[in-house]
Amino acid sequence: MKKTLLFAFLFYFSIMNAQISFEKGYFISNDGKRTECFIKNLDWGNNPIDFKFKIQINDNDYKTETIANVQEFGIDNTTTFKRANIKIDRSSEDLTKVSQTGKPVWEENTLFLRLLVQGEATLYSYKDENLIRYFYETKTVPLEQLVHLKYILLEDGKSTGELKENNYYKQQLNNNVRLSNTNDREIKNLQYKKADLTKYFLKYNNNDNKTPSRELSKTSEDHFLLKITPGISFVSLTMNDGDMPSTDVKLDNKTSFKIGLEAEYVLPFNKNKWSLFLNPMYQKYENTKDYRRPGPFLTSPLTTRNAEIKYTSIQIPIGLRYYFLLNKSSKIFINTAYSFDVRGKASISFDQNVKNESNSGSNFVFGLGYNFRNKFSAEIRTNTKKELLRDYQSFSAEYKAIDFVFAYSIF
């Protein structure tokens, strides 16, 4: 099992690096020189301090440039970063560290800011782990942070435990980025989020009296999918009794059906290639077999025996999935998951009178599939062996299955 887990880890690590490609882009040096090149697109979750590039796509080696030498870099039609010497407030939103004054604590930093909207009013973002800050500038207002922070309200120098927000960014926009037909409610309801601020700046810039603009940085964003997942299992089962080998038997392979729901959370980085999934599926397996075993003595005649098994459960794989992008519509994916049973019950009887009942065990699942338009998918899953008679020490029932799972996204 340890070797299996190590192989899976190394495999995922290698494909993650293999799928990150160099894409056409540019950078502008401190002297203003623009260099056309191919930049390694990491689909940066956090704003970077350097980047890797090649002058020609077929170059064997890449070079690295840093924020000290570059004032701007970008990947065509995807992402643009601009360097800025800026004051930033890094106040934490962790309730154990949250501000008690409600005032920004300014630090002077040199940062690559992600360009979100460019025009009469320009919007930028900065992300570092859990810290997210937005910046803006206009023709009359130099680059500055849009101020937003949480703080604990104090009374007589003591904490009240009441969490408040400093939403000064709304006043900044009201003063400096507001159309004549913008109403107060629109600004009051404006959230300190990328989608809200981007929409607001686009509306401002695309006013009839201004030069039109568009959203410049298309970054990965998390999203949630819910799917119906019918499936077919091809099952093999072997039973062994350490105390009574005469009952050992391998049942004939059998097909069973399963049905379930899958919840998939697509992670907001690396071009949405990674996701987490949870896939509860109801399954029912029943099988029987007549077989012949020798009696207790050499001269004893062969005895015909009957073995019957019934197993039902709600199987719940929890796992990690990785997508290989083929084109805009199609993806191949692989996944690995830890699977356990809820209400997993197995009963085995011999000759209709010797009966064993037990809870079922857990196992690992590995899958390979194809996804079309995030709507339809088909997958083949191989399951490592599962012990159905977990409550017994001497008696074993090893359950193995290969599943074909089909999925349709409800939303």
Side-chain angles (χ1 to χ4, degrees):
M1 185 61 69
K2 290 183 178 179
K3 290 183 178 180
T4 301
L5 293 176
L6 178 61
F7 173 77
F9 173 78
L10 293 174
F11 184 53
Y12 274 108
F13 181 79
S14 64
I15 61 169
M16 179 181 69
N17 286 280
Q19 283 288 293
I20 297 173
S21 60
F22 284 83
E23 299 179 14
K24 185 170 176 54
Y26 72 95
F27 65 88
I28 300 175
S29 306
N30 289 341
D31 59 6
K33 178 183 177 183
R34 180 184 174 104
T35 301
E36 301 293 332
C37 61
F38 294 87
I39 294 176
K40 192 170 187 178
N41 188 353
L42 300 178
D43 194 27
W44 297 269
N46 296 330
N47 288 37
I49 58 173
D50 57 27
F51 60 92
K52 297 176 176 60
F53 73 97
K54 296 179 179 181
I55 298 300
Q56 300 295 332
I57 189 63
N58 294 324
D59 290 348
N60 291 326
D61 297 325
Y62 61 79
K63 298 179 180 179
T64 301
E65 273 294 1
T66 69
I67 195 170
N69 303 319
V70 173
Q71 55 181 292
E72 179 179 327
F73 78 93
I75 297 174
D76 292 2
N77 301 316
T78 303
T79 302
T80 300
F81 288 99
K82 288 190 175 184
R83 186 182 66 192
N85 298 312
I86 193 69
K87 289 182 179 180
I88 182 173
D89 167 54
R90 294 181 178 269
S91 299
S92 175
E93 293 196 358
D94 186 335
L95 293 181
T96 62
K97 302 176 182 178
V98 72
S99 170
Q100 293 187 338
T101 66
K103 297 179 180 179
V105 179
W106 298 113
E107 299 178 14
E108 289 195 13
N109 290 171
T110 299
L111 308 171
F112 273 134
L113 300 181
R114 188 191 296 269
L115 183 59
L116 299 180
V117 178
Q118 188 170 34
E120 294 282 329
T122 300
L123 177 66
Y124 304 87
S125 70
Y126 177 78
K127 186 176 186 299
D128 182 13
E129 299 302 335
N130 294 324
L131 178 74
I132 300 176
R133 295 290 184 262
Y134 295 97
F135 298 80
Y136 82 110
E137 64 182 345
T138 71
K139 290 185 176 180
T140 58
V141 178
L143 182 63
E144 65 179 14
Q145 181 184 318
L146 289 166
V147 176
H148 168 75
L149 68 142
K150 295 180 180 179
Y151 64 97
I152 297 291
L153 183 64
L154 299 179
E155 286 185 2
D156 299 326
K158 296 182 180 180
S159 172
T160 63
E162 184 179 354
L163 189 64
K164 306 287 283 185
E165 292 188 15
N166 178 344
N167 290 321
Y168 182 64
Y169 71 93
K170 296 181 181 181
Q171 186 63 50
Q172 291 170 283
L173 297 178
N174 182 67
N175 294 341
N176 304 310
V177 187
R178 177 168 178 163
L179 297 171
S180 58
N181 61 352
T182 300
N183 59 56
D184 292 341
R185 178 177 295 181
E186 185 176 352
I187 293 180
K188 181 180 179 181
N189 294 335
L190 190 63
Q191 299 294 308
Y192 197 77
K193 296 179 179 179
K194 176 187 171 184
D196 284 39
L197 293 172
T198 296
K199 182 179 179 180
Y200 184 87
F201 273 73
L202 286 172
K203 179 180 177 181
Y204 177 83
N205 287 330
N206 291 332
N207 183 51
D208 292 340
N209 298 326
K210 296 179 174 63
T211 303
S213 68
R214 60 185 176 87
E215 185 176 358
L216 295 177
S217 287
K218 298 289 186 179
T219 58
S220 299
E221 296 185 355
D222 62 335
H223 55 276
F224 177 82
L225 299 171
L226 185 64
K227 309 173 185 178
I228 299 174
T229 54
I232 303 172
S233 292
F234 297 92
V235 182
S236 65
L237 188 130
T238 302
M239 295 185 289
N240 297 284
D241 189 343
D243 296 332
M244 191 181 297
S246 62
T247 60
D248 293 354
V249 61
K250 184 180 187 303
L251 275 68
D252 297 332
N253 294 348
K254 189 172 182 180
T255 300
S256 65
F257 297 93
K258 53 176 57 179
I259 185 70
L261 288 173
E262 180 181 280
E264 181 179 16
Y265 174 64
V266 182
L267 299 170
F269 57 82
N270 196 218
K271 296 187 176 180
N272 293 136
K273 293 178 182 178
W274 291 93
S275 70
L276 302 172
F277 68 93
L278 174 72
N279 186 201
M281 299 189 77
Y282 174 79
Q283 58 184 5
K284 183 177 181 180
Y285 167 76
E286 295 182 351
N287 204 354
T288 184
K289 184 173 183 177
D290 293 325
Y291 62 103
R292 306 186 75 187
R293 286 289 183 270
F297 304 105
L298 292 176
T299 58
S300 299
L302 294 177
T303 302
T304 300
R305 306 205 61 181
N306 171 269
E308 182 179 9
I309 181 169
K310 296 180 180 180
Y311 165 57
T312 60
S313 76
I314 299 176
Q315 179 190 28
I316 305 183
I318 301 176
L320 181 67
R321 179 171 292 152
Y322 184 83
Y323 288 99
F324 299 84
L325 307 180
L326 300 179
N327 52 52
K328 292 182 179 180
S329 301
S330 300
K331 296 180 286 188
I332 293 174
F333 63 88
I334 60 174
N335 46 240
T336 185
Y338 173 75
S339 178
F340 61 94
D341 285 352
V342 174
R343 297 183 177 275
K345 294 288 185 180
S347 64
I348 297 175
S349 61
F350 292 95
D351 303 327
Q352 299 180 349
N353 53 23
V354 181
K355 192 170 185 180
N356 299 276
E357 293 184 343
S358 174
N359 294 303
S360 55
S362 58
N363 65 308
F364 287 92
V365 178
F366 302 93
L368 170 67
Y370 170 78
N371 179 288
F372 181 70
R373 294 186 181 278
N374 284 330
K375 199 68 178 177
F376 305 95
S377 66
E379 175 188 352
I380 180 171
R381 292 180 183 173
T382 179
N383 297 260
T384 61
K385 67 180 181 181
K386 176 191 296 185
E387 179 56 63
L388 296 190
L389 299 180
R390 187 182 61 181
D391 300 335
Y392 290 82
Q393 293 184 346
S394 62
F395 200 93
S396 172
E398 293 185 353
Y399 177 95
K400 297 180 182 179
I402 294 177
D403 302 332
F404 288 89
V405 180
F406 306 92
Y408 174 76
S409 296
I410 303 172
F411 62 80

